[in-house]
Amino acid sequence: MDRRWAARLALAAGTAALLVLLVFAGLRGLVLVAVGLAGLAVTAAGLWWVLAHIGVVRVLGLLLAVCAPVAVLLLYALAGLLWVVLVSLALWALAVVTGRTALVQDTGPAPPHERPVAPPKRPFLIMNPRSGGGKVGKFRLADRARALGADVVVLDPARPQDVAELARRAVDDGADLLGVAGGDGTQALVAGVAAAHGVPFVVICAGTRNHFAMDLGLDRADPSACLQALTDGVELRVDLGFIDVGEPTPEGRGRVFVNNASFGAYATVVQSPAYRDDKARTILQLLPDLLTHHSGPRLKVHADAVTVDEPQAVLVSNNAYRVGDPAGLGLRERLDSGDLGVLGVKVDNAVQAASMLRGRRGPGLTSTAAREVVIDADAPVIPVGVDGEALTVPAPVRCWIAPGALRVRLPRHRPGVPRSKPPMNWRRVRRLALTVGRAAAGRDTG
C-alpha cells in the first residue's frame, strides 16, 4: 500500500473510531473509555499481586485479574453499548496498524554488509541429537552435512563433552569453519572459539527456540536449509557479548553470549533444581520473595551514565531487543550496532505494575544501550542466566561487547529479519496524509 494512502486510511479509521463513540454513545463514550482503562489498570495490579504474594492476597489478585475485564464487558453490555466499543476498538486498531505502516521509511537502517565467499574446505560441525526434540535426527542433518564434505561430531547424550574443546581441537587440526546444530548455549560456546581463531561460524537452528538463528534471519522451520551456507554462502560480521564469570577462558576473555545474560528474579528461579520439572509451580513459589526483595541479592546496575537501583530483573543483551513494537518483542533488528541492550524492571507495588501498561515509558522499565554494563550486588556471588544456562558468578559482574567479533556464514537465500514498525506518531501521519505528489517520501520526517 502507498504510504500516503496508508496514512489517509489511518486518519479515516481513527476519526471513525471517535465518531462511533460520540454518535452512538454520546458523552457516555468518554465514560466507556475511562472504564476500560480502569479495568486494564486493575487487571495489571491483580497480576502483580498474583506474582508478588502468596495465600489470600494471591487469591484476591487472581480474582481481580479475572473479574476486572469481565466486569468491564458486562457494564458495556448492560449499557447496550458493547457493540459500539468493539467496533470502535477495531477501527482504532486499524488506524494504529495502518499509521505505523505509513511511517515505515522506504530506506531504513542499512542491512549488515555481507559478501559472497567460497565454500569452506574443511568445515567442522558439532550436533546435539537431543536439541529441539531430536531435530538432528528428524532432518538427517549429520548425513546431509557429511554429504557436503563436513566433518561432523554427533554428541553422545550419555557422555557429556566439552564442545568448546572439541572446536579448539578441530581448528588446530585445520578446520576452516565451525558450526553447531543445537541450542543457543552451545552456539555461544563454539562461537567464542570461532571468534578467537578468526574462522567463520555456521548456525544450524536445531534447538528449541533458536533466538540467535531468528535474529540472523534463518529459516527456523527447516534446519537443513542452514547447510546451504556450506555451498552457497555469504559472510557478515556480528557482535558478541561477553560476561566476566570469574575465570578466564582458554581464549583469555570472558564467557560469550550470543543472546543475553539475565540477572535478578528469573536468573534466581532457574537455579532451582525443581525448575526443570515444574516451571510454573517453581516460579509461583519463588517469585514473591524475589519481587519484594525478601530474598535474593539486591542489584545495582551501571550502564555507562545510567544507574538502576535494586531492580528485580535485568536483561543485558547482545544488541538491543525491540521494545516499541509489540509484534517484535524478543527480536533484535540488528546484531552489529556495537552496543549492549539493557532492560531493567523495577516494580515495588500494584500502582507501578499498572503503570507498566505504558510500555517503555512506564516508570518501572529502564531501556538503554551501553558498551559496558556492571552489575553489583550485596552478595559475594549472584545467579545469572547466560543464553539459558544457569551459572553463579562473583559480584560485581562486568558485561561488555566486542563489535564485529564473529564472522557468520549464512545461506545466500534465507527469510531475513522482519523490519520493525516505528511507534505511532499522529502528527507525522497527518503530515504524510496531506502530502501530495512524489515529494511524499521525503517530507514526512521530523
Side-chain angles (χ1 to χ4, degrees):
M1 178 185 295
D2 182 273
R3 292 175 57 211
R4 289 172 295 158
W5 284 106
R8 291 163 187 167
L9 178 56
L11 288 181
T15 303
L18 296 176
L19 287 176
V20 166
L21 282 177
L22 292 176
V23 171
F24 294 98
L27 293 178
R28 290 186 298 172
L30 297 177
V31 178
L32 294 178
V33 173
V35 169
L37 293 176
L40 283 175
V42 171
T43 301
L47 291 174
W48 165 256
W49 286 334
V50 169
L51 295 175
H53 299 277
I54 59 174
V56 175
V57 177
R58 172 172 284 176
V59 173
L60 291 175
L62 181 60
L63 289 174
L64 274 180
V66 173
C67 293
V70 174
V72 169
L73 293 176
L74 184 60
L75 287 173
Y76 290 164
L78 291 175
L81 298 172
L82 180 58
W83 72 271
V84 175
V85 174
L86 294 179
V87 170
S88 181
L89 286 176
L91 288 169
W92 191 256
L94 176 62
V96 172
V97 170
T98 53
R100 296 181 68 195
T101 299
L103 294 176
V104 174
Q105 295 292 323
D106 293 331
T107 55
H113 175 70
E114 60 183 47
R115 61 185 183 89
V117 288
K121 295 180 179 180
R122 297 189 60 184
F124 176 80
L125 305 180
I126 298 172
M127 298 191 178
N128 185 349
R130 299 181 62 180
S131 289
K135 290 181 180 178
V136 168
K138 178 182 178 181
F139 290 91
R140 299 178 49 248
L141 296 178
D143 292 340
R144 293 183 177 187
R146 290 187 179 111
L148 296 175
D151 182 8
V152 180
V153 170
V154 179
L155 300 177
D156 183 355
R159 187 170 61 89
Q161 294 172 273
D162 186 338
V163 294
E165 184 59 29
L166 287 174
R168 293 185 195 102
R169 292 176 183 173
V171 174
D172 291 341
D173 290 340
D176 59 351
L177 177 143
L178 298 176
V180 172
D184 288 328
T186 308
Q187 299 278 2
L189 292 172
V190 179
V193 177
H197 291 84
V199 299
F201 180 69
V202 164
V203 176
I204 304 171
C205 45
T208 302
R209 289 174 291 273
N210 301 296
H211 288 300
F212 190 44
M214 175 176 61
D215 295 328
L216 287 169
L218 294 170
D219 184 357
R220 294 189 297 164
D222 183 9
S224 64
C226 300
L227 295 174
Q228 295 174 14
L230 301 180
T231 55
D232 185 20
V234 294
E235 189 173 296
L236 55 82
R237 284 190 173 270
V238 301
D239 307 335
L240 284 180
F242 287 85
I243 178 171
D244 185 358
V245 294
E247 298 179 358
T249 66
E251 286 73 36
R253 297 182 288 184
R255 175 161 174 161
V256 167
F257 57 92
V258 293
N259 291 327
N260 58 64
S262 60
F263 303 83
Y266 174 75
T268 301
V269 167
V270 298
Q271 302 284 328
S272 171
Y275 178 77
R276 299 298 176 189
D277 297 327
D278 193 343
K279 293 181 174 62
R281 182 185 294 273
T282 305
I283 290 172
L284 289 175
Q285 287 178 342
L286 298 180
L287 268 187
D289 283 345
L290 295 171
L291 294 179
T292 55
H293 298 296
H294 292 159
S295 67
R298 295 175 182 263
L299 305 178
K300 188 170 186 176
V301 181
H302 303 278
D304 289 348
V306 177
T307 300
V308 185
D309 290 313
E310 299 190 12
Q312 284 102 336
V314 179
L315 188 72
V316 179
S317 57
N318 174 23
N319 286 255
Y321 286 102
R322 298 179 188 173
V323 293
D325 180 10
L329 291 178
L331 292 172
R332 291 167 291 179
E333 194 163 25
R334 57 186 302 176
L335 292 169
D336 62 346
S337 71
D339 284 319
L340 296 168
V342 184
L343 288 174
V345 178
K346 182 178 181 180
V347 181
D348 294 324
N349 52 57
V351 174
Q352 291 182 359
S355 70
M356 292 290 286
L357 293 171
R358 297 169 57 189
R360 66 188 306 168
R361 294 176 297 174
L365 179 65
T366 299
S367 175
T368 188
R371 284 291 183 96
E372 180 176 289
V373 179
V374 177
I375 295 91
D376 207 346
D378 62 353
V381 295
I382 59 176
V384 56
V386 182
D387 283 338
E389 302 287 332
L391 303 176
T392 302
V393 301
V397 184
R398 186 172 73 97
C399 301
W400 68 97
I401 196 163
L406 182 64
R407 298 166 54 193
V408 178
R409 190 72 57 88
L410 301 171
R412 185 186 306 273
H413 303 291
R414 57 193 186 276
V417 181
R419 290 182 60 186
S420 64
K421 296 179 181 178
M424 189 62 178
N425 186 318
W426 285 107
R427 180 178 299 177
R428 289 183 59 201
V429 169
R430 178 179 177 274
R431 185 180 303 148
L432 181 59
L434 298 177
T435 301
V436 296
R438 297 182 179 179
R443 291 171 53 188
D444 65 309
T445 58

